[in-house]
């Protein structure tokens, strides 16, 4: 037996959310339908709006509904520093850790040939354009300290070596094999201050 | 620092879902925006449709987008048996357990004077009307084996005693203090078969 066709479709639709299985989907659907339709309608409105309007910042590729994000528009940031991260969540974690005053570039993933994710899929052509504009003197490769993150950092270093920019990688204060997004602020700060020269080898 | 205004509003809107905190909301928002906008749009469409169209069945008060639910319309059910449950999830659990062939009545909660939830809030006036129609000879009070569920069962038994119907309560095969929704099918079946006379004392 199951719920009505429409409720069953709702249970299935909720499964798109990460970590939501059949049981959780049922809890969510019944909660919204029985106890919080107003909250549900707000979610429908905001999610719909976000899905249509949120895109990538023209300069750093972070998620924003504006052409250029607030951080890229800020005049209080050091335009000579560019920190390359895998996701907007990593960018947020670094900002929350404090201490870094430069700009960012978001890859939205990492190189993964087996999944068919190549340089252009993580915006490296756009990164080259950004560097062509000049003004940037140091690039901090803050990809995740995972095999894929390391490989992506090495690839980027290889690509931009001849530009003669200072390349650095986060100090190994960050735990190997971990996800940057979950590193505590103190560790992230120390990793930033202790960043090391990086030659792509 | 935070995401853009619209993304921040999305994180907040996702918090209406049960068990979703700041971190989970961020994971969900980034997943939908970065990896599954199609799934997100499907969720927006189906949730919006469900919130507008899903209401209570005129006869049993379960959640359905139709005036009368499929189970109430079925001619293969025993119209003499009525099982009173707290939620549609409990109804689904009993159906999945199998063995019960009668109809249902969904309270959508239990009596809770402290929260201002009285008899009419759980549809007891509607239950009386249903009984006035006649045809029902036995009522199985399958409210949760919790203090509130027991109290609600006793209150209902009190209200309908003079009708001289057979009243029964699930056998105590169900664990006290638990939520009916989570009881395994075998236990639920045994509890149904072993149901005992109930006099509201």
């Amino acid at each position: 037996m199951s719920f009505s066709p429409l409720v069953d479709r709702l249970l299935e639709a909720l499964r798109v959310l990460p970590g939501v299985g059949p049981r959780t989907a049922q809890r969510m659907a019944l909660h919204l339908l029985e106890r919080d339709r107003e909250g549900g309608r707000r979610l429908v409105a905001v999610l719909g709006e976000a899905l249509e309007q949120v895109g990538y910042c023209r300069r750093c590729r972070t998620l924003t509904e504006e052409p250029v994000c607030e951080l890229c528009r800020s005049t209080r940031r050091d335009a000579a520093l560019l920190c390359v991260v895998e996701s907007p969540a990593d960018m947020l974690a670094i900002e929350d850790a404090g201490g870094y005053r430069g700009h960012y570039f978001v890859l939205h993933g990492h190189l993964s040939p087996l999944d068919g994710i190549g340089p252009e899929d993580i915006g490296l052509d756009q990164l080259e354009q950004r560097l062509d504009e000049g003004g940037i003197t140091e690039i901090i490769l803050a990809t995740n300290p995972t095999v894929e993150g390391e490989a992506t950092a090495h690839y980027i270093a290889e690509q931009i070596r001849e530009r003669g920019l200072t390349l650095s990688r986060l100090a190994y204060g960050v735990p190997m094999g971990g996800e940057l997004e979950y590193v505590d602020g103190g560790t992230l700060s120390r990793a930033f201050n202790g960043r090391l020269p990086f030659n792509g080898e």
Side-chain angles (χ1 to χ4, degrees), chain A residues 78-82 131 134-140 163-168:
Chain A
D78 183 346
L81 294 177
L82 187 69
L131 297 178
I136 293 167
T137 60
E138 175 176 359
I139 293 186
I140 301 147
R163 290 174 183 273
L165 302 169
T166 304
L167 275 183
S168 61

PDB file of all heavy atoms in Angstrom, chain A residues 78-82 131 134-140 163-168:
ATOM      1  N   ASP A  78      42.546  42.357  -1.445  1.00  0.00           N
ATOM      2  CA  ASP A  78      43.836  42.455  -2.127  1.00  0.00           C
ATOM      3  C   ASP A  78      43.741  41.786  -3.505  1.00  0.00           C
ATOM      4  O   ASP A  78      43.686  40.561  -3.616  1.00  0.00           O
ATOM      5  CB  ASP A  78      44.896  41.755  -1.275  1.00  0.00           C
ATOM      6  CG  ASP A  78      46.285  41.877  -1.891  1.00  0.00           C
ATOM      7  OD1 ASP A  78      46.379  42.253  -3.076  1.00  0.00           O
ATOM      8  OD2 ASP A  78      47.271  41.619  -1.186  1.00  0.00           O
ATOM      9  N   ALA A  79      43.722  42.626  -4.558  1.00  0.00           N
ATOM     10  CA  ALA A  79      43.533  42.115  -5.925  1.00  0.00           C
ATOM     11  C   ALA A  79      44.743  41.341  -6.440  1.00  0.00           C
ATOM     12  O   ALA A  79      44.704  40.757  -7.522  1.00  0.00           O
ATOM     13  CB  ALA A  79      43.225  43.276  -6.864  1.00  0.00           C
ATOM     14  N   ALA A  80      45.838  41.325  -5.654  1.00  0.00           N
ATOM     15  CA  ALA A  80      47.039  40.613  -6.113  1.00  0.00           C
ATOM     16  C   ALA A  80      47.013  39.139  -5.729  1.00  0.00           C
ATOM     17  O   ALA A  80      47.767  38.333  -6.252  1.00  0.00           O
ATOM     18  CB  ALA A  80      48.288  41.283  -5.536  1.00  0.00           C
ATOM     19  N   LEU A  81      46.121  38.781  -4.807  1.00  0.00           N
ATOM     20  CA  LEU A  81      46.037  37.396  -4.326  1.00  0.00           C
ATOM     21  C   LEU A  81      44.804  36.699  -4.871  1.00  0.00           C
ATOM     22  O   LEU A  81      43.703  37.247  -4.841  1.00  0.00           O
ATOM     23  CB  LEU A  81      45.966  37.367  -2.794  1.00  0.00           C
ATOM     24  CG  LEU A  81      47.177  37.848  -2.004  1.00  0.00           C
ATOM     25  CD1 LEU A  81      46.859  37.801  -0.508  1.00  0.00           C
ATOM     26  CD2 LEU A  81      48.384  36.992  -2.325  1.00  0.00           C
ATOM     27  N   LEU A  82      44.997  35.493  -5.411  1.00  0.00           N
ATOM     28  CA  LEU A  82      43.863  34.714  -5.893  1.00  0.00           C
ATOM     29  C   LEU A  82      43.911  33.319  -5.281  1.00  0.00           C
ATOM     30  O   LEU A  82      44.917  32.612  -5.398  1.00  0.00           O
ATOM     31  CB  LEU A  82      43.886  34.602  -7.417  1.00  0.00           C
ATOM     32  CG  LEU A  82      42.653  33.947  -8.040  1.00  0.00           C
ATOM     33  CD1 LEU A  82      41.438  34.859  -7.883  1.00  0.00           C
ATOM     34  CD2 LEU A  82      42.892  33.656  -9.517  1.00  0.00           C
ATOM     35  N   LEU A 131      43.788  35.594 -15.383  1.00  0.00           N
ATOM     36  CA  LEU A 131      45.213  35.889 -15.189  1.00  0.00           C
ATOM     37  C   LEU A 131      45.722  36.813 -16.288  1.00  0.00           C
ATOM     38  O   LEU A 131      46.572  37.666 -16.063  1.00  0.00           O
ATOM     39  CB  LEU A 131      46.017  34.594 -15.153  1.00  0.00           C
ATOM     40  CG  LEU A 131      45.674  33.642 -14.001  1.00  0.00           C
ATOM     41  CD1 LEU A 131      46.504  32.378 -14.086  1.00  0.00           C
ATOM     42  CD2 LEU A 131      45.886  34.329 -12.659  1.00  0.00           C
ATOM     43  N   GLY A 134      45.883  40.415 -15.764  1.00  0.00           N
ATOM     44  CA  GLY A 134      46.984  40.946 -14.982  1.00  0.00           C
ATOM     45  C   GLY A 134      46.572  41.392 -13.587  1.00  0.00           C
ATOM     46  O   GLY A 134      45.393  41.342 -13.220  1.00  0.00           O
ATOM     47  N   GLY A 135      47.543  41.855 -12.796  1.00  0.00           N
ATOM     48  CA  GLY A 135      47.245  42.350 -11.453  1.00  0.00           C
ATOM     49  C   GLY A 135      47.430  41.299 -10.380  1.00  0.00           C
ATOM     50  O   GLY A 135      47.695  41.609  -9.229  1.00  0.00           O
ATOM     51  N   ILE A 136      47.340  40.023 -10.770  1.00  0.00           N
ATOM     52  CA  ILE A 136      47.504  38.952  -9.781  1.00  0.00           C
ATOM     53  C   ILE A 136      48.966  38.526  -9.726  1.00  0.00           C
ATOM     54  O   ILE A 136      49.599  38.281 -10.748  1.00  0.00           O
ATOM     55  CB  ILE A 136      46.605  37.753 -10.139  1.00  0.00           C
ATOM     56  CG1 ILE A 136      45.141  38.148  -9.993  1.00  0.00           C
ATOM     57  CG2 ILE A 136      46.943  36.556  -9.259  1.00  0.00           C
ATOM     58  CD1 ILE A 136      44.175  37.177 -10.614  1.00  0.00           C
ATOM     59  N   THR A 137      49.517  38.487  -8.489  1.00  0.00           N
ATOM     60  CA  THR A 137      50.938  38.127  -8.337  1.00  0.00           C
ATOM     61  C   THR A 137      51.117  36.782  -7.638  1.00  0.00           C
ATOM     62  O   THR A 137      52.136  36.136  -7.776  1.00  0.00           O
ATOM     63  CB  THR A 137      51.676  39.197  -7.510  1.00  0.00           C
ATOM     64  OG1 THR A 137      51.056  39.278  -6.221  1.00  0.00           O
ATOM     65  CG2 THR A 137      51.591  40.548  -8.203  1.00  0.00           C
ATOM     66  N   GLU A 138      50.116  36.380  -6.838  1.00  0.00           N
ATOM     67  CA  GLU A 138      50.238  35.083  -6.155  1.00  0.00           C
ATOM     68  C   GLU A 138      48.943  34.300  -6.253  1.00  0.00           C
ATOM     69  O   GLU A 138      47.847  34.843  -6.134  1.00  0.00           O
ATOM     70  CB  GLU A 138      50.580  35.275  -4.677  1.00  0.00           C
ATOM     71  CG  GLU A 138      50.584  33.958  -3.913  1.00  0.00           C
ATOM     72  CD  GLU A 138      51.006  34.099  -2.454  1.00  0.00           C
ATOM     73  OE1 GLU A 138      51.324  35.234  -2.041  1.00  0.00           O
ATOM     74  OE2 GLU A 138      50.997  33.077  -1.748  1.00  0.00           O
ATOM     75  N   ILE A 139      49.089  33.017  -6.506  1.00  0.00           N
ATOM     76  CA  ILE A 139      47.939  32.136  -6.556  1.00  0.00           C
ATOM     77  C   ILE A 139      48.075  31.072  -5.475  1.00  0.00           C
ATOM     78  O   ILE A 139      49.110  30.402  -5.365  1.00  0.00           O
ATOM     79  CB  ILE A 139      47.810  31.465  -7.931  1.00  0.00           C
ATOM     80  CG1 ILE A 139      47.464  32.524  -8.976  1.00  0.00           C
ATOM     81  CG2 ILE A 139      46.747  30.373  -7.902  1.00  0.00           C
ATOM     82  CD1 ILE A 139      47.173  31.970 -10.335  1.00  0.00           C
ATOM     83  N   ILE A 140      47.074  30.985  -4.618  1.00  0.00           N
ATOM     84  CA  ILE A 140      47.055  29.990  -3.548  1.00  0.00           C
ATOM     85  C   ILE A 140      46.143  28.847  -3.982  1.00  0.00           C
ATOM     86  O   ILE A 140      44.946  29.053  -4.178  1.00  0.00           O
ATOM     87  CB  ILE A 140      46.535  30.614  -2.244  1.00  0.00           C
ATOM     88  CG1 ILE A 140      47.431  31.773  -1.838  1.00  0.00           C
ATOM     89  CG2 ILE A 140      46.435  29.564  -1.150  1.00  0.00           C
ATOM     90  CD1 ILE A 140      46.702  32.890  -1.136  1.00  0.00           C
ATOM     91  N   ARG A 163      53.839  31.761 -16.394  1.00  0.00           N
ATOM     92  CA  ARG A 163      53.431  33.138 -16.083  1.00  0.00           C
ATOM     93  C   ARG A 163      54.320  33.731 -14.988  1.00  0.00           C
ATOM     94  O   ARG A 163      54.248  34.931 -14.700  1.00  0.00           O
ATOM     95  CB  ARG A 163      51.975  33.172 -15.622  1.00  0.00           C
ATOM     96  CG  ARG A 163      50.972  32.876 -16.737  1.00  0.00           C
ATOM     97  CD  ARG A 163      49.573  32.794 -16.174  1.00  0.00           C
ATOM     98  NE  ARG A 163      48.587  32.442 -17.196  1.00  0.00           N
ATOM     99  CZ  ARG A 163      47.982  33.328 -17.983  1.00  0.00           C
ATOM    100  NH1 ARG A 163      48.287  34.606 -17.891  1.00  0.00           N
ATOM    101  NH2 ARG A 163      47.104  32.938 -18.876  1.00  0.00           N
ATOM    102  N   GLY A 164      55.142  32.873 -14.351  1.00  0.00           N
ATOM    103  CA  GLY A 164      56.058  33.362 -13.327  1.00  0.00           C
ATOM    104  C   GLY A 164      55.380  33.941 -12.103  1.00  0.00           C
ATOM    105  O   GLY A 164      55.910  34.832 -11.439  1.00  0.00           O
ATOM    106  N   LEU A 165      54.176  33.480 -11.800  1.00  0.00           N
ATOM    107  CA  LEU A 165      53.481  33.951 -10.603  1.00  0.00           C
ATOM    108  C   LEU A 165      53.963  33.168  -9.391  1.00  0.00           C
ATOM    109  O   LEU A 165      54.497  32.073  -9.525  1.00  0.00           O
ATOM    110  CB  LEU A 165      51.968  33.731 -10.754  1.00  0.00           C
ATOM    111  CG  LEU A 165      51.271  34.382 -11.949  1.00  0.00           C
ATOM    112  CD1 LEU A 165      49.867  33.836 -12.093  1.00  0.00           C
ATOM    113  CD2 LEU A 165      51.253  35.892 -11.756  1.00  0.00           C
ATOM    114  N   THR A 166      53.817  33.741  -8.200  1.00  0.00           N
ATOM    115  CA  THR A 166      54.109  32.982  -6.994  1.00  0.00           C
ATOM    116  C   THR A 166      52.964  32.000  -6.789  1.00  0.00           C
ATOM    117  O   THR A 166      51.798  32.384  -6.765  1.00  0.00           O
ATOM    118  CB  THR A 166      54.178  33.923  -5.767  1.00  0.00           C
ATOM    119  OG1 THR A 166      55.141  34.937  -6.026  1.00  0.00           O
ATOM    120  CG2 THR A 166      54.550  33.139  -4.517  1.00  0.00           C
ATOM    121  N   LEU A 167      53.325  30.716  -6.704  1.00  0.00           N
ATOM    122  CA  LEU A 167      52.290  29.699  -6.485  1.00  0.00           C
ATOM    123  C   LEU A 167      52.451  29.160  -5.082  1.00  0.00           C
ATOM    124  O   LEU A 167      53.566  28.899  -4.635  1.00  0.00           O
ATOM    125  CB  LEU A 167      52.481  28.544  -7.469  1.00  0.00           C
ATOM    126  CG  LEU A 167      51.877  28.672  -8.866  1.00  0.00           C
ATOM    127  CD1 LEU A 167      52.127  27.375  -9.631  1.00  0.00           C
ATOM    128  CD2 LEU A 167      50.398  28.940  -8.766  1.00  0.00           C
ATOM    129  N   SER A 168      51.354  29.016  -4.363  1.00  0.00           N
ATOM    130  CA  SER A 168      51.470  28.389  -3.048  1.00  0.00           C
ATOM    131  C   SER A 168      50.320  27.433  -2.826  1.00  0.00           C
ATOM    132  O   SER A 168      49.292  27.485  -3.511  1.00  0.00           O
ATOM    133  CB  SER A 168      51.497  29.458  -1.948  1.00  0.00           C
ATOM    134  OG  SER A 168      50.300  30.217  -1.969  1.00  0.00           O
TER     135      SER A 168
END
